[in-house]
Amino acid sequence: MPNPILVPHADKGQLALAGGSRIINVLSTAVAEQGLAHLSVTGGTMGIAVLANIAENPLRSTVDWSKVHFWWSDERFVTTGHEDRNEQQAKDALLEALDLPAENLHIIGASDVFETAEAAAEAYAHELARFAPHGEASPRFSLTLLGMGPDGHIASLFPGRTEILEAQQVTLAIQDSPKPPPTRVTLTLPVINFSERIWFLIAGSDKAEATARLLKASQMAETELTAEILQETPAAGARGMLETLVLAAQDAISS
C-alpha cells in the first residue's frame, strides 16, 4: 500500500469544490471500467460539504449513479431520520437528488430497527458479505472517504481504545463513545483498508495537531505502525490499496 500523500487546499470551500470533482471522476472511471462502483462515505462537516458540492456540480451527470453503491464507514445508533445519523445527513446533502435505486443504499441499522447496536453491526456485516468477492468479507471499495476528528479518530475508531486494533471482525458496536452520541456501529480498519483509494477530507485549525501526527505517520511503512501509534492516532492506519490522499484545507496543516 503506498504511503499517504498530502494535497493542500486554500480553504474549506476549495476543498469541497475540488473534492467533489475528484470523486465524480473516480466514480465515472470505475463504472466505465468495472461496471459499478462501491463508495464508502463519511459524516462530519467536511464530508457532508463535499457531498453537497457533488449535488451542485455540473459534472455530476457524467456518472451513471444507478451503478454506484453507497456504504457508510460508521453510523450513530439513533432513530431513523435523526439529524445525528450520517445516513440522513448524506441524504439531505446529495442522495435524495440522485434518484438512486433503493438497493444501492447500504444503510447501517438504526435504533428503531434493531434492539441493540450489536445486532445492527452483525446485520451490516452480512450486508457487506453479500457484495464481497470470493474469500473476502466486504466489497472492494472504489473509494473510501474519511473525516478525522481533532483527536485523530476515523469512523468510530477512537484513540486510547482497542477497537482500532481489531483484525478479525468486520463491524463493531461501539459503546461509551467519547464523542456523542455514545452508541455507534463502525467498520473495522481492515475493512476500511479494503479500498482502492482512501481520501481524508480535513479542515479546521482544531485538526492541525492530529493532521501533523497523521502526516508524520504517513512517512512510515505499514509494518512500522505499532499498536501505540494506532491507538494515539487511529487515522494513521488507514491506507488504500492503490492510493491514499490527505485532502486538507490550509488551516488544518498549519501549526
Side-chain angles (χ1 to χ4, degrees), residues 17-47:
L17 180 62
S21 295
R22 279 179 177 271
I23 293 165
I24 288 170
N25 182 60
V26 166
L27 295 178
S28 178
T29 300
V31 169
E33 293 181 352
Q34 302 170 22
L36 56 79
H38 290 283
L39 174 65
S40 178
V41 298
T42 184
T45 302
M46 196 65 246

Side-chain angles (χ1 to χ4, degrees), residues 217-218 220-230 236-239:
S218 74
M220 301 177 182
E222 190 177 5
T223 55
E224 297 177 300
L225 297 175
T226 63
E228 182 179 4
I229 292 171
L230 293 177
R239 300 199 175 186

